[in-house]
Amino acid sequence: MRPFELALTVSVACAAVSGAQDSASLRLVPRPREVAYVRAVSLKAGIAVDAPSNADDRFAASDLSDELKARGVAVVRTRPVPRGVTRVSLLRAGSAPAKALLKRLVLTWSDTLGTEGYMIVADTNRLIVIADSASGVFYGAQTVKQLVVGSGATATLDFVRIRDWPAMRYRGIHDDLSRGPLPTLEYQKKQIRTFAAYKLNVYSPYYEHTLEYLSNSIANIPGGFMTRAEVRELIHYARSYHIDVIPEQEAFGHLHHVLKWELYAPLAETSHGHVIAPGQPGSMALIRELFAEIDSLFPSKFIHLGADETFELGRGQTAERVKTEGIGPVYVNFLRDIADTLRYTGKRFLFWGDVAMNHPELVKNLPKDMIAVAWDYGLGPNWERLLTPYRLDVNMETWVAPGVSNWNRVYPNNFVALRNIQGFIRDGQRWGATGVLNTSWDDDGDALFEQTWYGVLFGAAASWQPGESSIPEFERSYGRVFHGDTTGKIDDAQRKLSAAQARLRDAGVGDASTFLFYLDPWSTEGQLLNARILPAARDVRVMAESALVLIAQVRRSGQALREMQSLTSVELGARRIDWLAAKFQFADEIAGMYARIEAADTTREGRSEAGRNFGDITSINGRIQDMREGYANLRQLYQQAWMAENRPYWIDNVLARFDVPTQLWVQRQQTMAAAWREYNRTRKAPPAASIGVPPPFVPTPPAMRP
């Protein structure tokens, strides 16, 4: 047994004897490899963070102090430190003070911890972080942040003993900046700080046309791109947080926003399409120009070439070549040519592994120093098939790319996201993958990054922790670690929203997609889906509304909550899920009411019944008004959430989607009001079909269901 393991065992035993909590009850993301609880220390008298002599370590100390001050903890700067004040020290493992401390505590530093690993030890009234490098010191300080429970004078610091180091060398988040939302520079800095707080070390912005290119600027929409000055500032900012900014610029597919311009149309595989055509004289020239500017802007040793989903290849300019050579050779040869052309940069090239994976016999033709990024966003059950063409056949370095399941949805499907992240990273570690790019995509431009932190943090945990990360443990820890909620209600709210997504999946409609959110329930497709959605609608609404109640209770709890914009965005997601189900209910109720109007006789009682139904449909607080207001109110909340993180660019494309159903129901209100007036004149309502009202949904009796 190593000395530190012995110390852990003794500490756990002492905690059990004293009646204190044990290490299992600590809430930490990522979970350290070895952790033992010692005791909780009150911070009523304040805390002092020693200022190291090394500039990088001073930054880590300052970052820790700033976080504690933001939580209302008194940070004492006077020296010597007053009696009763708790101290935190950040030490390098090779320094004399660290060596003396470890010797006195009968502990040893092990090279197993590597450059990013750290130890935390408790000594009387002092908690000490020990690491071998600036990044290790920084990550130890981030763990100390999580050991502080509560805020202000009631805050406590958990004294622990920890040995911790990462399972994977590269731990990143890949963020789509080209399909709608384009974050402000200040928001990107907030992202960098948050990524680093959970020990991510890679940020990969995804570009198609939203990076300022001096050589090819026509695709840049004013206000819709990162300037070169912003990129430089972000890279400089990220460096202090030990984040490597690795750009992805699409170099093969997904280039529609460039190729739709007539000047570049001759380079497209199909007219104004998405894929650049191999073999065209200008294709490689364009790639060379774009990546020369990438090389000059981004100091990272990595560049991501993209090269995924080249669906149009062989359908246009390369059709004859593909018929002769096959689509695999045409794809692999062009990807190799791109790498050879850009070899002068000295970079290592990442590429998405989906297309080459389907031609494993050709992978050997790619340069061996390229890095294949295998991606998949589903539930598995395993991901070995995505890795074996690169790992078994040619021993090419691989990274894995799970996803936070936020694209085309009004709220991320965390039921899927957590299981995808868990399983894919587990299999990636098993097959020797060295990195993770957890992905956030904005396919229809509707996604909000503030809603993705649940999946982002679990990705950070799974890429740091060895093996299969525990979903239940993360679900118990997220609310306290990220939001400072000690009640567990934020965790419960997230579970409710995951359950709502799962209920929609079980109903056979996928999940809370933007398609369903904007779909007209009276359209042909809407009517076809009634049989699936309406039986599940009440369950979905109860889950979403329960999440709203839980969040409201947390807001009133008096806690000093953190990450409030994220919490607001979670609320918005819950409201949109609720409305997705509610609108199908309300639309069907209108159809039922109108059917009763048509069935009413012309007696006084029948006319009164018809009038009441007309009133319920379209009078004050009628169902049609509900349909109009549902979209109008959510539009306003959505716009506020968007502007809290993004530039104004592109938002009108999303707001227009709210406006269409709002106006549709305004028109239907006018139509229904006219039908009511006609009924009052003629004692007969217009036929439902003539004013666009479908028949009400009739549930299939259980005995008749297949």
Side-chain angles (χ1 to χ4, degrees), residues 547-578:
L548 289 171
V549 170
L550 287 163
I551 293 171
Q553 290 172 346
V554 167
R555 287 184 181 276
R556 295 194 299 268
S557 66
Q559 300 177 93
L561 297 172
R562 304 188 294 275
E563 302 292 348
M564 296 304 292
Q565 182 55 40
S566 175
L567 201 59
T568 297
S569 294
V570 174
E571 285 183 295
L572 173 61
R575 292 183 186 280
R576 293 184 77 183
I577 292 174
D578 181 67

Short mmCIF file of all heavy atoms in Angstrom, two decimals, residues 547-578:
data_model
loop_
_atom_site.label_atom_id
_atom_site.label_comp_id
_atom_site.label_asym_id
_atom_site.label_seq_id
_atom_site.Cartn_x
_atom_site.Cartn_y
_atom_site.Cartn_z
N ALA A 547 -40.65 20.75 -13.31
CA ALA A 547 -39.32 21.35 -13.36
C ALA A 547 -39.39 22.85 -13.10
O ALA A 547 -38.55 23.41 -12.37
CB ALA A 547 -38.67 21.06 -14.72
N LEU A 548 -40.38 23.51 -13.68
CA LEU A 548 -40.55 24.94 -13.45
C LEU A 548 -40.82 25.24 -11.97
O LEU A 548 -40.29 26.20 -11.40
CB LEU A 548 -41.69 25.48 -14.31
CG LEU A 548 -41.42 25.57 -15.81
CD1 LEU A 548 -42.70 25.90 -16.57
CD2 LEU A 548 -40.35 26.61 -16.10
N VAL A 549 -41.66 24.42 -11.34
CA VAL A 549 -41.96 24.61 -9.92
C VAL A 549 -40.69 24.43 -9.09
O VAL A 549 -40.41 25.23 -8.18
CB VAL A 549 -43.05 23.62 -9.46
CG1 VAL A 549 -43.20 23.65 -7.95
CG2 VAL A 549 -44.38 23.97 -10.13
N LEU A 550 -39.92 23.41 -9.38
CA LEU A 550 -38.69 23.16 -8.64
C LEU A 550 -37.72 24.33 -8.77
O LEU A 550 -37.10 24.76 -7.78
CB LEU A 550 -38.04 21.87 -9.13
CG LEU A 550 -38.74 20.57 -8.72
CD1 LEU A 550 -38.27 19.41 -9.59
CD2 LEU A 550 -38.50 20.27 -7.24
N ILE A 551 -37.57 24.85 -9.98
CA ILE A 551 -36.66 25.98 -10.18
C ILE A 551 -37.17 27.21 -9.45
O ILE A 551 -36.39 27.96 -8.83
CB ILE A 551 -36.48 26.26 -11.68
CG1 ILE A 551 -35.74 25.09 -12.34
CG2 ILE A 551 -35.71 27.55 -11.90
CD1 ILE A 551 -35.69 25.16 -13.85
N ALA A 552 -38.48 27.44 -9.48
CA ALA A 552 -39.04 28.58 -8.74
C ALA A 552 -38.79 28.44 -7.25
O ALA A 552 -38.47 29.42 -6.55
CB ALA A 552 -40.54 28.69 -9.02
N GLN A 553 -38.92 27.23 -6.72
CA GLN A 553 -38.65 27.00 -5.30
C GLN A 553 -37.18 27.27 -4.97
O GLN A 553 -36.87 27.84 -3.92
CB GLN A 553 -39.02 25.57 -4.93
CG GLN A 553 -40.53 25.30 -4.95
CD GLN A 553 -40.87 23.83 -4.77
OE1 GLN A 553 -40.00 22.96 -4.90
NE2 GLN A 553 -42.14 23.54 -4.50
N VAL A 554 -36.28 26.87 -5.86
CA VAL A 554 -34.86 27.12 -5.63
C VAL A 554 -34.58 28.61 -5.63
O VAL A 554 -33.82 29.12 -4.79
CB VAL A 554 -34.01 26.40 -6.70
CG1 VAL A 554 -32.57 26.90 -6.68
CG2 VAL A 554 -34.04 24.90 -6.49
N ARG A 555 -35.20 29.34 -6.54
CA ARG A 555 -34.99 30.78 -6.60
C ARG A 555 -35.44 31.47 -5.30
O ARG A 555 -34.89 32.49 -4.90
CB ARG A 555 -35.74 31.38 -7.79
CG ARG A 555 -35.12 31.07 -9.15
CD ARG A 555 -35.88 31.80 -10.23
NE ARG A 555 -35.40 31.56 -11.57
CZ ARG A 555 -34.39 32.19 -12.15
NH1 ARG A 555 -33.74 33.13 -11.48
NH2 ARG A 555 -34.04 31.91 -13.40
N ARG A 556 -36.46 30.89 -4.65
CA ARG A 556 -36.97 31.50 -3.42
C ARG A 556 -36.31 30.94 -2.16
O ARG A 556 -36.69 31.30 -1.05
CB ARG A 556 -38.49 31.27 -3.32
CG ARG A 556 -39.31 31.96 -4.40
CD ARG A 556 -40.79 31.96 -4.04
NE ARG A 556 -41.31 30.60 -3.91
CZ ARG A 556 -41.88 29.92 -4.90
NH1 ARG A 556 -41.97 30.46 -6.11
NH2 ARG A 556 -42.34 28.69 -4.72
N SER A 557 -35.33 30.07 -2.35
CA SER A 557 -34.75 29.37 -1.20
C SER A 557 -33.79 30.22 -0.38
O SER A 557 -33.39 29.82 0.71
CB SER A 557 -34.02 28.11 -1.68
OG SER A 557 -32.89 28.46 -2.48
N GLY A 558 -33.40 31.36 -0.91
CA GLY A 558 -32.48 32.21 -0.17
C GLY A 558 -31.02 31.85 -0.37
O GLY A 558 -30.15 32.49 0.22
N GLN A 559 -30.75 30.85 -1.19
CA GLN A 559 -29.37 30.48 -1.45
C GLN A 559 -28.72 31.50 -2.40
O GLN A 559 -29.38 32.13 -3.20
CB GLN A 559 -29.30 29.11 -2.11
CG GLN A 559 -29.89 27.98 -1.30
CD GLN A 559 -29.84 26.68 -2.08
OE1 GLN A 559 -28.90 25.90 -1.95
NE2 GLN A 559 -30.86 26.44 -2.90
N ALA A 560 -27.41 31.61 -2.29
CA ALA A 560 -26.66 32.46 -3.22
C ALA A 560 -26.35 31.62 -4.46
O ALA A 560 -25.27 31.03 -4.59
CB ALA A 560 -25.38 32.96 -2.57
N LEU A 561 -27.32 31.55 -5.35
CA LEU A 561 -27.18 30.70 -6.52
C LEU A 561 -26.20 31.31 -7.52
O LEU A 561 -26.04 32.53 -7.60
CB LEU A 561 -28.53 30.49 -7.18
CG LEU A 561 -29.58 29.76 -6.34
CD1 LEU A 561 -30.93 29.79 -7.04
CD2 LEU A 561 -29.16 28.32 -6.06
N ARG A 562 -25.60 30.43 -8.32
CA ARG A 562 -24.67 30.85 -9.37
C ARG A 562 -25.23 30.45 -10.73
O ARG A 562 -26.19 29.69 -10.82
CB ARG A 562 -23.30 30.19 -9.15
CG ARG A 562 -22.70 30.47 -7.79
CD ARG A 562 -21.27 29.97 -7.70
NE ARG A 562 -21.15 28.53 -7.77
CZ ARG A 562 -21.26 27.70 -6.73
NH1 ARG A 562 -21.52 28.19 -5.52
NH2 ARG A 562 -21.12 26.40 -6.87
N GLU A 563 -24.62 30.98 -11.78
CA GLU A 563 -24.99 30.65 -13.16
C GLU A 563 -26.49 30.86 -13.40
O GLU A 563 -27.21 30.00 -13.89
CB GLU A 563 -24.59 29.21 -13.49
CG GLU A 563 -23.11 28.92 -13.32
CD GLU A 563 -22.24 29.64 -14.33
OE1 GLU A 563 -22.78 30.19 -15.32
OE2 GLU A 563 -21.01 29.67 -14.14
N MET A 564 -26.93 32.07 -13.09
CA MET A 564 -28.35 32.36 -13.16
C MET A 564 -28.87 32.41 -14.60
O MET A 564 -30.03 32.08 -14.87
CB MET A 564 -28.66 33.67 -12.44
CG MET A 564 -28.36 33.62 -10.95
SD MET A 564 -29.24 32.28 -10.11
CE MET A 564 -30.91 32.86 -10.24
N GLN A 565 -28.02 32.84 -15.55
CA GLN A 565 -28.48 32.86 -16.93
C GLN A 565 -28.75 31.46 -17.43
O GLN A 565 -29.70 31.21 -18.18
CB GLN A 565 -27.44 33.55 -17.83
CG GLN A 565 -27.87 33.66 -19.28
CD GLN A 565 -29.21 34.36 -19.46
OE1 GLN A 565 -29.50 35.34 -18.78
NE2 GLN A 565 -30.04 33.85 -20.37
N SER A 566 -27.91 30.51 -17.01
CA SER A 566 -28.17 29.12 -17.38
C SER A 566 -29.49 28.65 -16.80
O SER A 566 -30.28 27.98 -17.48
CB SER A 566 -27.03 28.22 -16.89
OG SER A 566 -27.33 26.86 -17.15
N LEU A 567 -29.76 29.01 -15.55
CA LEU A 567 -31.01 28.59 -14.92
C LEU A 567 -32.21 29.19 -15.66
O LEU A 567 -33.23 28.53 -15.85
CB LEU A 567 -31.00 29.03 -13.46
CG LEU A 567 -31.96 28.29 -12.51
CD1 LEU A 567 -31.66 26.80 -12.49
CD2 LEU A 567 -31.85 28.87 -11.10
N THR A 568 -32.08 30.44 -16.09
CA THR A 568 -33.14 31.08 -16.86
C THR A 568 -33.35 30.36 -18.19
O THR A 568 -34.49 30.17 -18.65
CB THR A 568 -32.79 32.56 -17.11
OG1 THR A 568 -32.72 33.24 -15.85
CG2 THR A 568 -33.84 33.23 -17.99
N SER A 569 -32.25 29.92 -18.81
CA SER A 569 -32.36 29.20 -20.07
C SER A 569 -32.96 27.82 -19.88
O SER A 569 -33.66 27.31 -20.77
CB SER A 569 -30.98 29.10 -20.74
OG SER A 569 -30.51 30.38 -21.11
N VAL A 570 -32.70 27.19 -18.74
CA VAL A 570 -33.35 25.91 -18.43
C VAL A 570 -34.85 26.12 -18.30
O VAL A 570 -35.66 25.33 -18.81
CB VAL A 570 -32.76 25.30 -17.15
CG1 VAL A 570 -33.55 24.04 -16.74
CG2 VAL A 570 -31.29 24.94 -17.34
N GLU A 571 -35.24 27.18 -17.60
CA GLU A 571 -36.66 27.50 -17.48
C GLU A 571 -37.30 27.68 -18.86
O GLU A 571 -38.41 27.19 -19.11
CB GLU A 571 -36.84 28.79 -16.67
CG GLU A 571 -36.63 28.63 -15.19
CD GLU A 571 -36.88 29.93 -14.45
OE1 GLU A 571 -36.11 30.89 -14.67
OE2 GLU A 571 -37.83 30.00 -13.67
N LEU A 572 -36.62 28.40 -19.73
CA LEU A 572 -37.14 28.60 -21.08
C LEU A 572 -37.34 27.26 -21.77
O LEU A 572 -38.37 27.02 -22.42
CB LEU A 572 -36.19 29.49 -21.88
CG LEU A 572 -36.53 29.66 -23.37
CD1 LEU A 572 -37.90 30.31 -23.55
CD2 LEU A 572 -35.45 30.48 -24.06
N GLY A 573 -36.36 26.37 -21.63
CA GLY A 573 -36.50 25.04 -22.23
C GLY A 573 -37.71 24.30 -21.68
O GLY A 573 -38.45 23.66 -22.44
N ALA A 574 -37.92 24.38 -20.37
CA ALA A 574 -39.07 23.71 -19.76
C ALA A 574 -40.38 24.30 -20.28
O ALA A 574 -41.35 23.56 -20.55
CB ALA A 574 -38.99 23.84 -18.24
N ARG A 575 -40.43 25.61 -20.42
CA ARG A 575 -41.64 26.26 -20.94
C ARG A 575 -41.91 25.85 -22.39
O ARG A 575 -43.06 25.64 -22.79
CB ARG A 575 -41.52 27.78 -20.84
CG ARG A 575 -41.52 28.29 -19.40
CD ARG A 575 -41.48 29.80 -19.33
NE ARG A 575 -41.33 30.27 -17.96
CZ ARG A 575 -42.32 30.34 -17.08
NH1 ARG A 575 -43.56 30.02 -17.46
NH2 ARG A 575 -42.11 30.76 -15.85
N ARG A 576 -40.86 25.71 -23.17
CA ARG A 576 -41.07 25.33 -24.57
C ARG A 576 -41.50 23.87 -24.69
O ARG A 576 -42.32 23.53 -25.55
CB ARG A 576 -39.79 25.59 -25.38
CG ARG A 576 -39.46 27.08 -25.51
CD ARG A 576 -38.25 27.31 -26.40
NE ARG A 576 -38.58 27.18 -27.81
CZ ARG A 576 -37.70 27.28 -28.80
NH1 ARG A 576 -36.41 27.49 -28.52
NH2 ARG A 576 -38.08 27.16 -30.06
N ILE A 577 -40.94 23.00 -23.84
CA ILE A 577 -41.40 21.61 -23.84
C ILE A 577 -42.87 21.54 -23.43
O ILE A 577 -43.68 20.83 -24.03
CB ILE A 577 -40.53 20.75 -22.89
CG1 ILE A 577 -39.11 20.60 -23.46
CG2 ILE A 577 -41.15 19.37 -22.69
CD1 ILE A 577 -38.15 19.90 -22.52
N ASP A 578 -43.23 22.31 -22.40
CA ASP A 578 -44.61 22.34 -21.94
C ASP A 578 -45.54 22.83 -23.06
O ASP A 578 -46.60 22.25 -23.31
CB ASP A 578 -44.72 23.25 -20.72
CG ASP A 578 -46.14 23.31 -20.19
OD1 ASP A 578 -46.63 22.29 -19.68
OD2 ASP A 578 -46.76 24.39 -20.29
#
